[in-house]
Amino acid sequence: NQAQFGGRDGNDERIAGMLVAGINPLLALLANLPDAASIEITRVGLSALLPLIGWCGSSLESHAIHISSMTCMLSLMNGAYPIMTKHGGKILTEVMLLLDRSNKDTAYLSETNSDFPCGSDNHTAANVTVKVALYCGAVSLIVCGESAEAVIQHVKSTNLQKPIDRCREICDLSKKIRP
């Protein structure tokens, strides 16, 4: 339930700190492990990271969780790339949902909250979250291939302009960073 509504009593900061200081460096080492180990770590990693990418909240701490969980996801995709083709749909779906929530949160907070002016910490954190999500989506499109592409095609079939624009941004970025 906390993964849906954010942590309580400072847990958001602890989670973000653990991801940045503990989990991400370990996932960066994943590329050096044998395939069998990377497969097992991928299952556990996805089950831990996907709910954190889906973490609800627009506080600075929530944005820290989003950003750090996506950087961990990038490390996981890098280290376990041989088997990531099976997981692109799950990854890109969570990234697209995060982008949609970020768009709505930013629009709502800009209209109703004077503490969310352009250039404020919250506004900057929201923009960084979007940039990291776009990058994570682009990498998932490259690494995961068809399973991630299926999400892009589905979103394009909905005729919802903002998500389609985000898909276009992800596709354009993936072309720029593709090796």
Side-chain angles (χ1 to χ4, degrees), residues 34-153:
D35 286 345
S38 68
I39 290 170
E40 193 57 38
I41 292 171
T42 300
R43 289 184 191 130
V44 174
L46 287 171
S47 66
L49 294 174
L50 290 172
L52 293 175
I53 293 172
W55 194 271
C56 288
S58 55
S59 67
L60 287 173
E61 294 81 8
S62 295
H63 288 298
I65 289 172
H66 293 139
I67 293 165
S68 56
S69 61
M70 285 185 290
T71 59
C72 287
M73 183 64 73
L74 289 165
S75 293
L76 182 65
M77 285 190 285
N78 179 51
Y81 70 90
I83 60 163
M84 278 298 172
T85 56
K86 299 176 182 179
H87 304 292
K90 292 176 270 206
I91 296 167
L92 194 52
T93 297
E94 282 299 334
V95 168
M96 291 299 298
L97 290 171
L98 174 59
L99 285 168
D100 187 57
R101 281 193 317 277
S102 294
N103 290 337
K104 291 175 182 173
D105 287 347
T106 302
Y108 174 75
L109 289 172
S110 295
E111 291 173 10
T112 62
N113 190 342
S114 61
D115 293 334
F116 198 73
C118 191
S120 69
D121 289 346
N122 280 332
H123 191 267
T124 301
N127 286 333
V128 170
T129 299
V130 167
K131 297 290 185 193
V132 174
L134 291 170
Y135 184 76
C136 187
V139 170
S140 73
L141 198 56
I142 294 167
V143 172
C144 303
E146 290 179 12
S147 61
E149 181 64 36
V151 174
I152 297 287
Q153 295 310 318

Side-chain angles (χ1 to χ4, degrees), residues 15-26 68 72:
I15 291 169
M18 266 190 340
L19 288 169
V20 170
I23 305 300
N24 202 20
L26 293 174
S68 56
C72 287

